[in-house]
Amino acid sequence: TLFLFIRTTARREELIVPVREALRSVDPAVPLDDIASMEDRLYASVAQPRQWATLLGAFAAAALGLAAVGVFGMLSYMVSTRRREIGVRMAIGAQPRRIVQMVVRSGLAHAVIGSVLGLAAALIGTRALTSVLYDVSPGDPATLGLATLALLVVALFACWLPARPAAAIDPLEAIRHE
């Protein structure tokens, strides 16, 4: 297979006919059928990895969203089941800040345990990922650290959302309600 590369400032469409004629004058049997710019060739060469990266990025975003919804749901349920306890704590003098800390700490404990288990699973599965990664190793500490940090920040926000209403529980209402 022969390739001819031409560097020019002219548009590709303007050069097709003159280049064909020049090649035909040298050898009429020379095929000239796959004409493309280097930009098009480069774009096509990375199209499949880019599609995989987009797909995996979408799955990662969906997983992060599901994790956030799961943490939020778990803590909202925990706050609703411990409403009386929170009311009693508030009645005997617990500050709203302490209630927020209690709820956030409870949720972040689960998130940290999940992150540790996820890191262990990621390190175990590094061999399967080696062939699909470009310019980064599967066990890259910066990448794993950034992903873990992103998950923990999202978990912190998901913990904080149900913690705010928990700190605003009226103690008398919570005790009377149950």
Side-chain angles (χ1 to χ4, degrees), residues 83-167:
R83 186 173 175 84
R84 181 180 176 137
E85 174 196 343
I86 293 170
V88 169
R89 285 176 185 260
M90 301 272 296
I92 60 174
Q95 297 297 316
R97 186 185 79 228
R98 291 285 196 192
I99 301 299
V100 169
Q101 287 175 349
M102 176 186 75
V103 173
V104 168
R105 191 176 326 117
S106 173
L108 279 182
H110 289 92
V112 167
I113 291 169
S115 294
V116 169
L117 293 174
L119 281 172
L123 291 174
I124 290 170
T126 56
R127 265 191 249 153
L129 293 175
T130 303
S131 65
V132 295
L133 294 176
Y134 175 74
D135 204 25
V136 69
S137 69
D140 181 39
T143 304
L144 292 175
L146 187 63
T148 304
L149 180 66
L151 178 66
L152 290 176
V153 166
V154 168
L156 176 65
F157 184 71
C159 293
W160 179 71
L161 287 176
R164 285 186 21 215

